[in-house]
Structure formats: C-alpha cells, structure tokens
Amino acid sequence: VPVSPEWLSRQALQLPVPGFSEGMERLASARLRVVGAGAMAAPALLTLSRAGFTRIWVEDDAPCDEPNGWLGEHPGLSRAAAACQVLSSYSSLLEVERYPAGGVPTATLVCVNSSAAATAMAEQARRAGVPHVVMEPRGDGGTVVSVPPGAPCYVCSRTPSMESWPLSPLCAPLACIAAVEVFLAVLNPHPRAGRRVELSGGGLTYLPTVRRAACACGQPVRR
Ligand SMILES: [Zn+2]
C-alpha cells in the first residue's frame, strides 16, 4: 500500500487496533471518483474528504459561478477545479484532482441531476467492474442506489419515471447517505448485494435490488 510516513504517523494510534488497519489501508490506497461538484454533491464531497481517503477524483465541467455556493465564485474555473482547490486545502494527506480521462477508480459516486446522465455514468462504471453509488433526490427525501460488481445494474434498480432531480432541502442528508454507501463499497470489497436506501418521512428503508427480466447485466461483462 503506497502510504506516506506522514499518513503512518497520523494513523499510529488506530493501526494497532485489530481489524482497523486493513480498512484504513483500503481507504488510503483507493481512488474514489465523484461525478458532480455542485450543491447536490457538496455534502458528499465534504464528508468523503474527511473519511480517510487519500485520493479523490472530481468530475464537473460546469462553470463555478455561484457567489454564495459552497465553492464561491471562481471566474474561468470549472466546479471540479474549484472543488480540488477547496478540498485539497483540508489535509496534506488528501489529494483531490480532476478526473483523469480513462482513469479506473476503486469506486464511483454519481451526484448529477438527470437520470440520463446518471445512467450513462453508472453503465460506464459497471462495464469497468467498478462498484458505484447513485443519488436520486426527491422533494420528500430520495433514494441512494448502490451497485456492487455483478449486482443488478442501475437501469434495473433506478427509480422509474424520474427524469431529473431538483435540489431539495433533503439533498444534504441524502448526499451523506450516498457518501456512506460508497465508503462501505471501498471498505468492504467482498461481493455484496445491491441495495436501495430510501430516505422518506425522516427514516431510512433498505431494499434489495432486483434484476429485471432479460437485462443484459445478467451476462458477464466483456472487457
Ligand atoms: Zn440490469
């Protein structure tokens, strides 16, 4: 595991705890890809940048033009570039970079506001064998869909009849749930079932995902 002396000294107290060091090393050696750096993604990015990851790839080409947004206004910079500056400043142990074209992450979190864009990102991750998590906000809560390799794909598992997801007051807790789901995907890479986490009425419901009949995701991926 490519960990620095600084990382080792930071984790010195925890590493001797049985079972702890393995997880810390998984987080430290992971490359986490986050698609989206706008208001919807902000709570997830802020959570994940403090979660023990050392490398986060951010992807969002939209201009960074909201003076009162979480990134502030940066003329000429994309949201991804501004997020890299803001999040990298939190810790010398954390490198936040723009997603390098063709880079294969350990896991992907998708925080975009349209079903079509989320589906395209999820399908790219599935074909690369990368566990991925998609958040789908709604006015009264929303859903986080978790797709480990081999599980029913996002198309099988997504919420039907939703084309776009506007920001809502419950986006922030939903994004934190999405952050936890992708954190668990890296921490526990053993084969797991896919699931939908529903945030509704102030509570969470966990539902297994089910493969749709004849969906191509039942076939082995050819790479
Ligand atoms: Zn499928």
Side-chain angles (χ1 to χ4, degrees), residues 123 126 151-157 210-218:
E123 192 57 13
R126 186 184 74 82
C153 72
Y154 178 63
V155 173
C156 287
S157 321
V210 179
R211 179 162 287 126
R212 285 193 201 170
C215 182
C217 69

Side-chain angles (χ1 to χ4, degrees), residues 33 41 65 138 141 145 148 203:
R33 179 184 184 185
D65 57 3
R138 278 191 315 271
V145 182

